[in-house]
Amino acid sequence: MKLYPLLQMDPCVIKPMISSAKTSGERRFLWFALAFRSALIVAFAIVFISFFSAVFGSENNPLIIGTFCILLGTRFVDFGYRLADAVGALAVCFALFLIMPQLVPNIPPAMLLPAHFAAFFTMIFLTSQKPIMGNAGLYAFAYIYSIGNPVSDQAMTSHTLMAFTGFAICCAVYVKKHHGKNKGVTVLSVAKSFSLSKNDDAWMLRMAAGTSIALSIGSWFGVERFIWLAFPCAAILSTYPYSRFEKDKGIQRVVGAIAGSFAFLALYLVLPANARIILAPLGGFALGLSADYRFKTAFNCFGALFLANGLYGIGESVALRIAETIAGTLLGLGLMAAFHAVADKAFFSRSNLTETARPAAVASEG
C-alpha cells in the first residue's frame, strides 16, 4: 500500500496491519506512515490554532480548537442526508457553540438541564446519524469545551466572526467531500423515523440526557473546571455499539487519566521551564500513535494539563484532572445504568430494540 492511503487511516487500522506485516521492511514503512500521519496532524493543529488565534484573539481558542476537531471529522463523515440540510445542520451547530456559552450563565438553575438537553440533543441528532464513525465525540467535545470557556462581552465581535469563519471552512470541506451523497434524504424524513425502539436513537437520547446532567451538575455545584467532569461522562455515554453498561471502558478511562496525569507531572518537573512548551505537542503526537483507549486517554491529559497549569498550577491541575475524571466516569456509568433501568420499563423493551440502520439512511446508499 502507498503512503497517501495510509495517512487517511486511523491508528486502530494501521496498528493491526503492523502486527500482521510479513517483513521487517513492511513494518518499518507502516510505522513511518503512522508517525508521519501523527506529525502532520500536530503540525496542522499548531499552524491552524496559531493563525486563527493571532487573527481573532486567544480568548477564542476553545472555539478554534473545536473547529479544528470538527474539520478533521468533516473530511470523512457525512451526516446521512442531503447537502442543503447538512449545511443547515453545520450552521445550527456553530450557532450553538457561539450562543450557548454566553447564554448558560444567565439561565435560571431550574431551566439549565432542559436548555442543555435541547441544545445537545439537537446537535447530536443533526451530526451523528452514523454513530459508528465517532462523530458524536467531536461535536460533544466542541460543545463542552465551549460551554466551559465563555468569552467576555468585549470579545463577542471577534467570537462571532470566528464562528462564521469556522462554519465557512467546515462547510466548504463538507461540500467538497460529500456533495452528491444522500440526495433523497432530508432531516425531516430522518426525524420522522426517530424511535426509541432503535438502538441508534436510544443511544442519542441517552448521550444527550447524561451529558446534559453532567454539565448541569457542574454549574449547580460550582465544580472547578467542570468540563473535566463532563468529558469522561460524555465519553462513557457515547460508547457504540449501544450497550447497558461499559465497566471496562470506565476502568480504562480512569487508569489512563491517572497514568497520563502523573506522566505529565514527571516530565513537567524534569524539563527546564523553557522546554515545557513541548509537552502539549508531544502529547498530541503520542495520541496520534495510539490505538488503545487507555493510551489515548493518557496522552489527552498532556494538552489539557498544559493549558490548566496556567490557571491552577501544576499540583492542583493534576489533582483536579484525576478527581474529576474518576467522578465523571462514575457519573457516566451510573447514568448509563439508570437510563436503562428507567427506559426499559417506561419506553421500550430491550427485546424490541433493532440493530438495523434507519430506512432513510439505507435508501441514501443507493
Side-chain angles (χ1 to χ4, degrees):
M1 183 176 289
K2 294 184 178 180
L3 180 61
Y4 184 75
L6 289 170
L7 297 179
Q8 313 304 311
M9 295 181 182
D10 190 87
C12 294
V13 177
I14 301 177
K15 284 289 186 71
M17 294 172 64
I18 294 173
S19 299
S20 61
K22 296 179 179 179
T23 67
S24 59
E26 186 179 355
R27 280 192 293 273
R28 285 195 296 269
F29 177 69
L30 290 169
W31 272 115
F32 169 77
L34 184 61
F36 188 48
R37 172 189 178 277
S38 184
L40 284 176
I41 292 174
V42 171
F44 179 47
I46 291 172
V47 171
F48 185 94
I49 295 167
S50 299
F51 174 77
F52 285 106
S53 180
V55 173
F56 295 107
S58 60
E59 195 168 0
N60 290 303
N61 277 357
L63 180 56
I64 295 169
I65 293 170
T67 299
F68 173 78
C69 293
I70 290 170
L71 177 62
L72 293 182
T74 300
R75 294 179 59 223
F76 301 105
V77 186
D78 66 86
F79 293 161
Y81 38 81
R82 65 186 185 183
L83 184 62
D85 289 24
V87 170
L90 274 174
V92 169
C93 290
F94 275 91
L96 291 174
F97 302 150
L98 173 66
I99 296 169
M100 285 300 292
Q102 311 308 121
L103 194 62
V104 163
N106 301 308
I107 296 176
M111 295 303 297
L112 193 57
L113 178 55
H116 274 310
F117 176 79
F120 198 91
F121 181 80
T122 298
M123 179 186 69
I124 293 299
F125 180 83
L126 289 175
T127 62
S128 305
Q129 294 298 322
K130 299 177 179 180
I132 195 172
M133 302 302 292
N135 223 26
L138 297 174
Y139 285 86
F141 170 83
Y143 181 85
I144 295 168
Y145 199 24
S146 295
I147 291 296
N149 295 276
V151 302
S152 63
D153 292 341
Q154 293 77 11
M156 273 307 295
T157 299
S158 63
H159 195 57
T160 303
L161 290 173
M162 180 59 223
F164 275 107
T165 303
F167 163 71
I169 293 171
C170 292
C171 184
V173 172
Y174 190 99
V175 171
K176 178 175 175 58
K177 294 292 183 178
H178 306 298
H179 68 278
K181 294 183 180 179
N182 312 304
K183 288 184 178 179
V185 185
T186 65
V187 170
L188 183 59
S189 67
V190 173
K192 285 180 177 178
S193 73
F194 184 89
S195 171
L196 290 177
S197 66
K198 298 175 183 176
N199 273 347
D200 289 359
D201 292 342
W203 169 86
M204 287 183 201
L205 178 65
R206 186 185 69 185
M207 185 180 179
T211 305
S212 300
I213 290 171
L215 286 167
S216 300
I217 287 174
S219 296
W220 289 334
F221 294 98
V223 177
E224 196 70 48
R225 200 67 177 171
F226 67 86
I227 58 175
W228 286 355
L229 178 76
F231 283 141
C233 183
I236 294 296
L237 295 169
S238 70
T239 302
Y240 192 85
Y242 182 69
S243 61
R244 280 175 176 266
F245 206 59
E246 215 29 72
K247 181 184 70 174
D248 290 344
K249 186 174 183 179
I251 293 172
Q252 291 173 354
R253 182 86 190 192
V254 171
V255 169
I258 293 173
S261 296
F262 280 114
F264 179 89
L265 176 62
L267 290 171
Y268 183 90
L269 295 176
V270 168
L271 288 172
N274 59 359
R276 291 168 181 163
I277 195 171
I278 70 167
L279 288 173
L282 176 64
F285 178 76
L287 179 64
L289 303 178
S290 303
D292 188 288
Y293 187 67
R294 290 167 297 180
F295 288 107
K296 288 183 176 182
T297 302
F299 293 122
N300 256 328
C301 291
F302 279 48
L305 288 170
F306 183 81
L307 293 173
N309 178 55
L311 297 173
Y312 306 107
I314 186 62
E316 185 176 349
S317 296
V318 168
L320 277 174
R321 183 71 177 186
I322 293 173
E324 294 194 25
T325 296
I326 294 172
T329 300
L330 292 174
L331 178 62
L333 292 172
L335 290 171
M336 181 179 281
F339 178 86
H340 289 287
V342 173
D344 286 0
K345 294 179 180 178
F347 301 117
F348 52 78
S349 168
R350 281 291 297 174
S351 61
N352 293 329
L353 285 173
T354 58
E355 302 290 342
T356 55
R358 61 183 77 250
V362 173
S364 73
E365 296 300 323

